[in-house]
Amino acid sequence: MKIGVLGSGKGSNFRAILTEIEVGRLDVEPVAVFSDVEGAGILELARASGIPAHVIREPRFRTKLSPEVESDVVRRLRHSGVDLVVLAGYMRMVKAPLLEAFPRHLINIHPSLLPAFPGLEAWRQALEAGVEKTGCTVHYVDAGMDTGEIIAQAEVPVLPGDTAASLHARIQVEEHKLYPSVVARFAAGELP
Ligand code: GRF
């Protein structure tokens, strides 16, 4: 199974997927990585692994891609033979071109137990709300913000003395286990 990865940041979830592939626990082939942020760590990770790294240039919008730019991403994903699109820290809303090209083959990871705390800095939202536990969620992507059907979740307790940074770090530890495990279920034909 060929995967395409979209991310805007450091790419630690992508790194976790790469690690599972390297140790032989995950049988997928990352064939293309895209980022809307030119210097993003996720692009460096791809290049270091010999995976084609693409910069998405979007001059008009900050929170989404214009239809022609997103359609070009779709074209390049298809050209690479991508079966499953994995959003790993991709910070824009996904629109019709991608949604229609990869129905139920487009997934995201979010740092909360959805439907609680969609949107930005979900770990900080959880801390400020005073909940006892939060976590992370892998879900199908739809047109809403973090509203797609939930595939899998992992819980993380909020500990006394937690800061936004310490809580986010512990959530990421769980993300790095959860995301590769869900991708493996696609590879095994258990999903979608
Ligand atoms: C993660 O916390 C993920 O849940 C959210 O964005 C962050 C990406 O981190 N969607 P990384 O780039 O994978 O390190």
Side-chain angles (χ1 to χ4, degrees):
M1 191 181 77
K2 294 182 178 178
I3 65 168
V5 181
L6 272 67
S8 308
K10 63 185 191 292
S12 70
N13 280 282
F14 175 51
R15 187 200 302 271
I17 289 169
L18 286 176
T19 300
E20 289 299 288
I21 294 169
E22 280 161 22
V23 300
R25 280 194 293 255
L26 180 57
D27 185 18
V28 300
E29 183 188 359
V31 292
V33 173
F34 293 78
S35 182
D36 57 321
V37 178
E38 192 159 354
I42 195 167
L43 290 174
E44 290 308 315
L45 272 174
R47 291 185 189 113
S49 301
I51 300 163
H54 305 262
V55 178
I56 304 170
R57 298 186 196 285
E58 172 52 69
R60 284 167 61 202
F61 302 110
R62 291 171 61 102
T63 60
K64 63 178 182 179
L65 299 178
S66 45
E68 58 276 18
V69 172
E70 200 174 87
S71 295
D72 187 56
V73 172
V74 167
R75 188 185 59 71
R76 289 190 275 173
L77 287 165
R78 285 198 167 127
H79 181 75
S80 305
V82 165
D83 303 299
L84 177 70
V85 180
V86 176
L87 304 188
Y90 179 66
M91 298 303 286
R92 294 179 191 243
M93 297 293 289
V94 173
K95 297 292 175 181
L98 262 169
L99 292 170
E100 289 170 9
F102 294 95
R104 284 182 91 74
H105 288 80
L106 177 56
I107 59 175
N108 181 45
I109 188 155
H110 180 78
S112 76
L113 295 175
L114 290 171
F117 312 124
L120 293 175
E121 298 201 327
W123 60 89
R124 193 183 301 278
Q125 296 183 49
L127 197 62
E128 286 171 1
V131 295
E132 288 178 2
K133 66 178 184 192
T134 181
C136 51
T137 301
V138 178
H139 62 92
Y140 292 106
V141 177
D142 66 12
M145 186 183 284
D146 306 318
T147 51
E149 182 187 329
I150 291 169
I151 299 171
Q153 295 184 307
E155 291 184 0
V156 174
V158 181
L159 302 179
D162 252 338
T163 62
S166 67
L167 182 55
H168 187 210
R170 283 208 320 289
I171 292 171
Q172 286 227 290
V173 170
E174 293 306 316
E175 290 185 343
H176 299 160
K177 295 184 239 171
L178 188 68
Y179 218 2
S181 76
V182 170
V183 174
R185 286 167 64 193
F186 278 91
E190 295 168 21
L191 290 169

